[in-house]
Amino acid sequence: VNAGNFLMGSNFGFSDELPIHKVYISHDLFVSTTEINQRIYKLTMDTNNSIIIDDNLPAYNISWLDAIKFCNKISELYSLTPSYVITQDDYEAWDTTANGWRLPTEAEWEYIAQTDTNVNLSEFAWYSTNSGLKPQPCGKLKSNKNGLYDCLGNVAEWCWDYYDENYYSISPEINPKGSINKTTRIARGACCTDGKTFVRIHKRNNQNNGTFIGIRIVRNDK
């Protein structure tokens, strides 16, 4: 996905989606076209915490810490420099100069997840209306304009940022990375059990854990 700018936020959602503000993503990104499926997650981590086990389903029921551990492990398998410093079971630092895989920032996620306006949501997203309230195989519906599948619905996707309901009012314009003084991480995209109101690219989900949360990974194109 090429670098560029966009208007982040929405006038038609919840209060934490305001104010609408311009954001510039200054670097091209390599992005996994689908959510990480269970086959890749199991081969990388030698475990699978998903409730419904199927190689083609997205890996889910993953903590934020396990998500960044996955990023580091798959970076090492690709002979890339891991993005995160992790000691035992605690996060220490994000090395922004590393070329390894990582979680997208909240701004990067909203940028790469953009769809054309007035789309038929059921053609792009698994949600309460069409999912049977359970995850579906990755990449079976239409892609968005960046060629990415299931950004909306199916399982939510962990982002780097801490959640701050007022962050948009102080967000820097270039490559925002979120609040540094909070405790809850962001998940984006909603999931297979959510209704249409929540399955929007602007909706911010603040939770430290949850059954239907998975991973989409990115890395800087240097």
Side-chain angles (χ1 to χ4, degrees), residues 4-173:
N5 60 74
F6 72 112
L7 293 177
M8 187 172 182
S10 172
N11 280 320
F12 305 103
F14 298 90
S15 60
D16 63 355
E17 298 167 24
L18 292 169
I20 294 176
H21 56 291
K22 187 174 183 179
V23 170
Y24 180 55
I25 304 300
S26 68
H27 41 263
D28 296 348
L29 290 167
F30 289 115
V31 184
S32 57
T33 54
T34 68
E35 295 158 334
I36 298 299
N37 65 28
Q38 293 180 29
R39 178 178 180 273
I40 292 173
Y41 190 85
K42 177 68 181 297
L43 287 172
T44 304
M45 302 297 286
D46 198 30
T47 189
N48 182 2
N49 293 327
S50 305
I51 295 171
I52 301 173
I53 304 298
D54 186 314
D55 280 354
N56 298 312
L57 293 179
Y60 64 102
N61 198 26
I62 298 169
S63 70
W64 185 87
L65 184 60
D66 282 341
I68 66 171
K69 287 180 178 179
F70 171 84
C71 291
N72 275 7
K73 186 68 178 294
I74 204 165
S75 295
E76 291 168 353
L77 293 173
Y78 275 84
S79 299
L80 300 170
T81 303
S83 293
Y84 304 109
V85 178
I86 304 171
T87 58
Q88 295 181 340
D89 284 326
D90 194 17
Y91 156 76
E92 292 292 328
W94 169 19
D95 179 1
T96 58
T97 67
N99 64 353
W101 293 102
R102 58 179 177 81
L103 300 180
T105 64
E106 186 180 17
E108 288 170 338
W109 189 93
E110 190 165 317
Y111 179 65
I112 66 178
Q114 293 178 91
T115 59
D116 294 324
T117 57
N118 301 318
V119 300
N120 182 346
L121 186 62
S122 294
E123 295 180 352
F124 292 85
W126 297 110
Y127 63 113
S128 60
T129 298
N130 63 352
S131 69
L133 304 181
K134 60 185 179 181
Q136 299 295 322
C138 298
K140 293 297 184 181
L141 299 179
K142 289 183 178 180
S143 66
N144 70 5
K145 63 182 183 180
N146 285 316
L148 307 180
Y149 297 85
D150 302 319
C151 287
L152 294 176
N154 216 12
V155 297
E157 301 172 9
W158 282 121
C159 294
W160 156 259
D161 308 41
Y162 285 112
Y163 175 77
D164 180 347
E165 63 179 338
N166 300 311
Y167 182 68
Y168 283 9
S169 64
I170 60 171
S171 173
E173 182 174 331

Side-chain angles (χ1 to χ4, degrees), residues 198-211:
F198 298 95
V199 188
R200 301 178 295 107
I201 66 168
H202 307 295
K203 178 67 177 69
R204 308 174 72 202
N205 303 305
N206 58 313
Q207 52 194 75
N208 272 334
N209 53 60
T211 301

